[in-house]
Structures are given as structure tokens and as C-alpha cells.
Amino acid sequence: MGARTRLRGLKANITIVPECGRRDADAYAEATAQSVIWRDGNENSSNGPSREAKGLGVFADNHELSLASVYADEFQVILPIKLTGKSPFHLLAVWTKPTSRGREWGYSGMLCRAIEKYSGFLTEADSLVIGDFNTNKVFDGERTLNHSEIDRRLTKLGLTSAYHAFYGESQGEETRPTHYFLRKRERPFYIDHCYLPNAWLPRLRSVSVGEYSDWVPMSDHAPLVIDIESP
């Protein structure tokens, strides 16, 4: 309940919530009268998701949401979504998680493959890619499909990280963490990202990250908040 109330306080037009319970998604959508898409994050839910299931929730005010026909089950909770309304655009809502394919590919490998799969979807309209990537350049290692490759592929599609553009910080050198491992202040990481079209950069008004003390009682993540002026 506390998390839902605090999220409502952000007064966001679009909200992406990984690790979102189905019960919480239903209650939040009802309380805010927003359009919602919720997808179960449990790959073994052949009998249907339970009310306690965790998934990815996407909520929108002044837009209608629909899951695009190009959605592929293998990417589970990386969702290509069409937003219709006064200012229509596309959204790739992201939660990389350790499904069987996720364990095989790794977080960055899964998202790299999803970007390749949905490249047409991302280029046929203005598009945002946003959510819990679970990746950062500091974790690149020797893998070919790493965070730097994610950034390269999204850059090639004409998208830019809102945080890095706004603060002028380099990938892997972020000073405002979005995640605290085991909720410990001394284990901070920046793993939640928002990429927006280069053409939207002049309309980027602010980027902020929630404070540790405000959010850690409810989550090991702090929200990344992007303010973009309407066209």
C-alpha cells in the first residue's frame, strides 16, 4: 500500500513497475483510473497467474495501452506496447529477469536479442525503451552481448539515455543509483534506464532518481523519473 501511495505521489503519466504484483497492479489501476498492461513474470504459469504473481506493470494516463502483435513469449516481460492518444508513440517496457532463457543468455544478452527482435517496432514510430535492465557498463566483463552493446544498439536506432544526456555523465560512472543490493546503502548500482528518441532531447526537462531513505523501506530500487514536455 505504501509503495502504491508513493508512486501515485509522483503523478506520472506513464509508469513502469517491474516486480509488480498482480493484486497491486489491479489496485493501482483502479485507484488512478489508468490504462494498464500487466504481464506475469513467472514462466511456469500455464494454469494462469495467481493474484500474488509478480510481473511487469505498465500504467498510462491519457493514453490507451495495447500489447503489439510482434510480442514474442521468449522475451516474457520485455513488452512492446503501443500507446494511442493525443500524442501516440511506442514503448518497450523492460524487466530482464532470470527465466530459463534469461539464465542462458544473461540479462544483457536477453535485452540485446529483444532489441534486435523489436527493432522494426522501435523505428516505425517514436519510441521509448525504459525499465529495469539489470545491466550497467561496470558489469560488461568479456561478454560480447553486454551493456555497452545494448547502448550501441539503441544508439544505432536513434535513441539516447535520458539520464546520461541530462547529467552529462558517462555510462558506468553514474552518481545517482537506482538500486541498492540487499537494500544496503553501501551497495549502490545504476541499473534502471530510459532511452528516448534523439528528437525528444530538446523537450527533456528533468531527470531525477528517488532518495534511498524514501524508497528502501518498500523496495531495493529507487524510481527513475523523466519529465518530457508534451509536443
Side-chain angles (χ1 to χ4, degrees):
M1 179 65 73
R4 294 201 300 266
T5 300
R6 195 170 288 276
L7 282 174
R8 287 177 64 184
L10 296 176
K11 298 180 179 179
N13 296 115
I14 311 293
T15 308
I16 293 88
V17 186
E19 299 185 53
C20 177
R22 185 186 179 196
R23 190 188 306 273
D24 288 327
D26 291 343
Y28 186 80
E30 181 178 357
T32 59
Q34 293 189 353
S35 179
V36 59
I37 287 179
W38 181 88
R39 193 76 177 186
D40 189 4
N42 178 10
E43 63 183 332
N44 300 313
S45 57
S46 57
N47 294 325
S50 71
R51 293 285 291 173
E52 290 73 34
K54 296 291 186 181
L56 178 62
V58 181
F59 308 87
D61 188 19
N62 300 322
H63 288 84
E64 288 297 321
L65 303 175
S66 61
L67 188 65
S69 60
V70 293
Y71 170 70
D73 281 330
E74 63 183 326
F75 300 115
Q76 198 169 353
V77 279
I78 301 177
L79 307 178
I81 295 172
K82 293 185 177 183
L83 290 91
T84 55
K86 184 176 180 181
S87 304
F89 62 95
H90 286 180
L91 171 70
L92 189 64
V94 176
W95 177 24
T96 60
K97 64 183 299 290
T99 60
S100 57
R101 271 297 173 88
R103 287 186 288 273
E104 175 187 350
W105 292 338
Y107 294 131
S108 54
M110 172 173 275
L111 186 49
C112 280
R113 288 172 171 85
I115 292 168
E116 181 179 2
K117 167 68 178 179
Y118 298 131
S119 60
F121 173 80
L122 293 172
T123 54
E124 69 183 12
D126 286 344
S127 299
L128 291 175
V129 179
I130 184 170
D132 182 3
F133 289 20
N134 273 311
T135 66
N136 187 288
K137 185 178 179 180
V138 299
F139 304 133
D140 275 1
E142 297 181 356
R143 291 171 298 179
T144 302
L145 298 182
N146 52 29
H147 179 79
S148 293
E149 179 63 13
I150 292 170
D151 182 68
R152 187 193 70 80
R153 293 186 182 202
L154 292 176
T155 298
K156 188 176 180 180
L157 294 176
L159 303 175
T160 296
S161 167
Y163 175 96
H164 297 90
F166 187 80
Y167 288 110
E169 296 179 2
S170 299
Q171 295 280 345
E173 298 180 3
E174 299 85 3
T175 59
R176 298 161 181 83
T178 64
H179 173 68
Y180 297 89
F181 185 66
L182 299 178
R183 303 195 184 195
K184 295 182 178 180
R185 188 187 288 270
E186 66 271 21
R187 301 290 299 277
F189 298 99
Y190 183 92
I191 60 174
D192 302 271
H193 302 263
C194 172
Y195 281 75
L196 74 169
N198 294 335
W200 289 20
L201 287 174
R203 296 195 277 117
L204 181 61
R205 291 293 173 257
S206 68
V207 176
S208 62
V209 179
E211 293 292 333
Y212 172 85
S213 58
D214 291 337
W215 293 91
V216 75
M218 295 164 286
S219 175
D220 53 359
H221 285 256
L224 176 66
V225 182
I226 312 297
D227 185 7
I228 303 169
E229 183 181 359
S230 297

